[in-house]
Amino acid sequence: MMTVLQTIHVLAALVVLAEALNKLERTTPFAHGMTRHARLVDGLKAVAWALLALGSGCTVAAPLLLGNGMQTNYLPLFDGTPPLIDRTAVMLGFAVLIVRTRIKEG
C-alpha cells in the first residue's frame, strides 16, 4: 500500500512526465536553417526535458513494477525504497511550476 507521500510523488511525476513528453516532442535541435546559438539552446532544452521524462517515468513505473514482484536487483534505475520528502518536494515543485504555467497561459 502506498503512503500519502508516495501517492503525491507519483501524481506529481505523472504531471511532469506528460509535460516533458509534450515539450520534448516540440523541440527540434536538428532542424535546418538554425543558427548555432538557437541549435544549442534547443538542444539543451531537449536534454533537460528528456532527463525530466526519464526521472518522472521511472517514478511512475517503479511502484507498478515493484508491486508486481519485480526484483530490484534487475532494475538499476529503481532502488525500491519509498521516496523521501526531498525527492517528493523536487517532483512536486516541477509539477506546480508546470500547472502554474498552464493556468497562466489560459
Side-chain angles (χ1 to χ4, degrees), residues 34-101:
M34 292 178 76
T35 65
R36 187 176 243 189
H37 181 265
R39 188 175 310 278
L40 176 65
V41 169
D42 214 39
L44 290 172
K45 188 188 308 182
V47 169
W49 285 116
L51 290 171
L52 283 170
L54 177 65
S56 58
C58 289
T59 298
V60 171
L64 300 173
L65 294 174
L66 297 173
N68 286 324
M70 293 287 279
Q71 297 291 329
T72 57
N73 55 352
Y74 296 117
L75 303 170
L77 297 176
F78 312 118
D79 60 4
T81 61
L84 300 175
I85 191 70
D86 59 344
R87 292 191 297 179
T88 303
V90 170
M91 190 65 72
L92 189 58
F94 276 117
V96 168
L97 286 173
I98 289 166
V99 170
R100 176 199 147 288
T101 301

Side-chain angles (χ1 to χ4, degrees), residues 1-65:
M1 182 159 172
M2 288 178 54
T3 65
V4 174
L5 192 62
Q6 287 173 308
T7 304
I8 291 170
H9 191 73
V10 170
L11 290 176
L14 279 170
V15 171
V16 174
L17 179 61
E19 185 70 9
L21 292 175
N22 181 32
K23 296 284 189 172
L24 189 58
E25 180 183 29
R26 292 192 271 151
T27 58
T28 56
F30 300 111
H32 294 289
M34 292 178 76
T35 65
R36 187 176 243 189
H37 181 265
R39 188 175 310 278
L40 176 65
V41 169
D42 214 39
L44 290 172
K45 188 188 308 182
V47 169
W49 285 116
L51 290 171
L52 283 170
L54 177 65
S56 58
C58 289
T59 298
V60 171
L64 300 173
L65 294 174

